[in-house]
Amino acid sequence: MSNNIEGKIVVITGASSGLGEATARHLSSLGAGVVLAARRIDRLETLAGEVNSKGGRALAIATDVTNCSQVKSLVDRAVQAFGRIDVMINNAGLMPLSPLERLKIDDWDRMIDVNIKGVLYGIAAALPYMKQQKSGHIINVSSVAGHKIRQGGAVYSATKHAVRALSEGLRMEVKPYNIRTTIISPGAVATELPDSISEPDIAEIMRKVYESAVPADSFARAVVFAMSQPDNMDVNEILFRPTLQEF
Ligand SMILES: NC(=O)c1ccc[n+]([C@@H]2O[C@H](COP(=O)([O-])OP(=O)(O)OC[C@H]3O[C@@H](n4cnc5c(N)ncnc54)[C@H](OP(=O)(O)O)[C@@H]3O)[C@@H](O)[C@H]2O)c1
């Protein structure tokens, strides 16, 4: 029986580390072709080389998701190379937490640009192809912070709530085109994400939260679950946490 993953072409933003990298490895081991996007091209090329040397199919494309034309070009090149796009995983993100009163306005802008606009640009790039194909799957990465707010996390939570709102609007709109939509909302997963926190006191609080973090493959398995359902089954949201995580 088909796993509904083999042969699919999957574009993954934020594939140079953490959840995106783990997902690229996992999906390619199940027979998917993966198109890897992020800014650190050296890391993407190493990963693509590893996948290709094991008989998989991977393409690395340097992409800044805050640049709409770069994201469009990413998906155009994926389709040129592989003939189609089956899954778009809008995963790139950052989490420089801080209390609002510290006015870290550059961080607010970066989170809005990457976590919200980057997801929108991914949708804009993939949707025309998926509409034409009358099939496709858009997976957007939110967070437990897309459901709950903690002190110091107002802007990050706002961006992750926005991802869920956009995804639910998208879900309803793409019914005529046979496109599936999934939100994945992880709790603490061991990645480089906490490194984006520059405030030492907040970094210390999050270091404790991340003591119970689960490995990045936990996210990849959630992607596999959503992708591997029969085509008429649309998994709209997966929320998972480490068993020990209270928040
Ligand atoms: N880890 C967790 O506990 C957790 C929990 C909930 C949600 N999430 C979400 O999961 C997603 C992935 O994060 P992660 O945990 O895997 O963290 P990570 O290891 O820091 O990975 C973040 C990825 O995003 C990419 N990225 C950042 N800015 C970018 C930009 N402007 N253009 C293109 N790519 C960009 C980074 O690549 P480059 O720097 O090479 O561009 C990197 O590949 C994020 O949306 C995050 O909010 C994570």
Side-chain angles (χ1 to χ4, degrees), residues 14-19 38-40 63-66 91-93 114 141-143 156 160 186-189 191-193 210:
S16 61
S17 65
L19 308 188
R39 293 164 304 175
R40 288 171 292 179
T63 310
D64 184 336
V65 299
T66 67
N91 165 70
V114 177
V141 182
S142 178
S143 171
Y156 181 69
K160 293 302 183 179
V189 181
T191 68
E192 296 172 19
L193 193 70
Y210 273 77

Side-chain angles (χ1 to χ4, degrees), residues 95-99 107 111 150 152-153 156 196-199 202 206:
M95 185 184 69
L97 304 173
S98 62
D107 287 345
M111 280 188 277
R150 68 188 321 143
Y156 181 69
S196 61
I197 305 171
S198 58
E199 299 294 278
I202 308 289
M206 294 311 286

